[in-house]
Amino acid sequence: MPNDQLMEQVKSQMPAKRWSHTLGVMESACILAERFGADREKAELAALLHDYCKYWPVNKQKQALLDHDAAGDLLDYEAALWHGPAAAVVLPAETGVTDAEVLDAVRWHTSGREQMTLLDKIVCLADYIEPNRDFPGVNKIRQLAEHSLEKALVAGFDSTISFLLEKGQPIYPLTVLSRNALLHD
Ligand code: GDP
Ligand code: FE
Ligand code: FE
Ligand code: FE
């Protein structure tokens, strides 16, 4: 377990419901790490930190990205995509966590990326299937996750993409690239 002080600091960034989600992602990330042979400590730490900036005002998220030259094309897309990349740039100074693999898993947990690492996949999938999650198709994704990280993640991205299509919202190109790359992994 990450130390109590770090746990408290993350908890203080978010409402109670988001903290329960975070604890759920930690639990699922540990299970997936054991199942698929990833570093359990890193998976648990990345899961703890993944939504650190989720409830920051969007302007603060945006400013963090700009201050660290990390905005890329993100500001042209939904603000819902900003919190992972924002967390990855603020966490070293805010928490002392500097592990690049952990920060990458945090950075890419919403969109995915073309060459997802084992840790990236575990955190992104844990975010979809943690016990508090309830959306159409989540049980199918949980079933797929028993055997295949990649098949489960493709199903996760498919559900997000379908949801965005239905709402007439833009789809971040990297999400499509991530999904396509996972088909070959
Ligand atoms: P959460 O932070 O635990 O709620 O989960 P995520 O970080 O995975 O998701 C954040 C939100 O981003 C979801 O509600 C998605 O619907 C939304 N979103 C908006 N545009 C996109 C997109 O192009 N790709 C992805 N993957 N998510 C998007
Ligand atoms: Fe998130
Ligand atoms: Fe996600
Ligand atoms: Fe999350």
Side-chain angles (χ1 to χ4, degrees):
M1 267 284 202
N3 70 52
D4 289 350
Q5 195 193 332
L6 184 57
M7 297 279 285
E8 285 304 318
Q9 189 182 337
V10 176
K11 187 179 175 185
S12 74
Q13 308 297 312
M14 55 190 67
K17 202 165 170 217
R18 180 62 41 174
W19 178 241
S20 303
H21 161 72
T22 296
L23 294 174
V25 179
M26 290 172 74
E27 181 187 329
S28 294
C30 284
I31 293 168
L32 292 172
E34 299 278 338
R35 188 175 295 157
F36 296 106
D39 184 320
R40 192 190 142 124
E41 300 287 322
K42 290 194 187 202
E44 192 174 38
L45 181 58
L48 169 63
L49 299 172
H50 84 286
D51 277 340
Y52 189 86
C53 293
K54 178 87 179 181
Y55 281 83
W56 282 22
V58 286
N59 277 328
K60 191 174 170 190
Q61 295 179 32
K62 184 179 182 172
Q63 200 54 53
L65 291 170
L66 293 171
D67 289 347
H68 292 84
D69 265 326
D73 58 358
L74 282 166
L75 302 183
D76 297 333
Y77 293 92
E78 300 295 291
L81 292 159
W82 302 350
H83 67 282
V89 295
V90 304
L91 284 167
E94 295 244 343
T95 65
V97 173
T98 56
D99 184 302
E101 289 176 19
V102 170
L103 295 175
D104 276 342
V106 170
R107 178 178 288 112
W108 306 112
H109 84 266
T110 302
S111 63
R113 58 169 159 170
E114 251 185 295
Q115 305 299 330
M116 292 179 82
T117 64
L118 180 60
L119 197 66
D120 293 349
K121 290 175 184 175
I122 283 172
V123 175
C124 189
L125 181 56
D127 194 23
Y128 277 110
I129 66 173
E130 64 93 1
N132 303 293
R133 283 284 203 213
D134 186 16
F135 59 87
V138 68
N139 282 329
K140 177 68 186 172
I141 302 172
R142 290 186 176 120
Q143 272 174 20
L144 290 168
E146 296 286 331
H147 300 290
S148 170
L149 210 41
E150 290 77 21
K151 286 194 172 77
L153 259 183
V154 168
F157 282 130
D158 284 355
S159 79
T160 299
I161 292 167
S162 303
F163 171 82
L164 293 168
L165 288 175
E166 212 152 292
K167 294 213 146 199
Q169 285 185 11
I171 295 162
Y172 188 49
L174 194 53
T175 298
V176 177
L177 295 175
S178 311
R179 185 258 181 201
N180 290 350
L182 287 163
L183 293 172
H184 308 293
D185 277 357

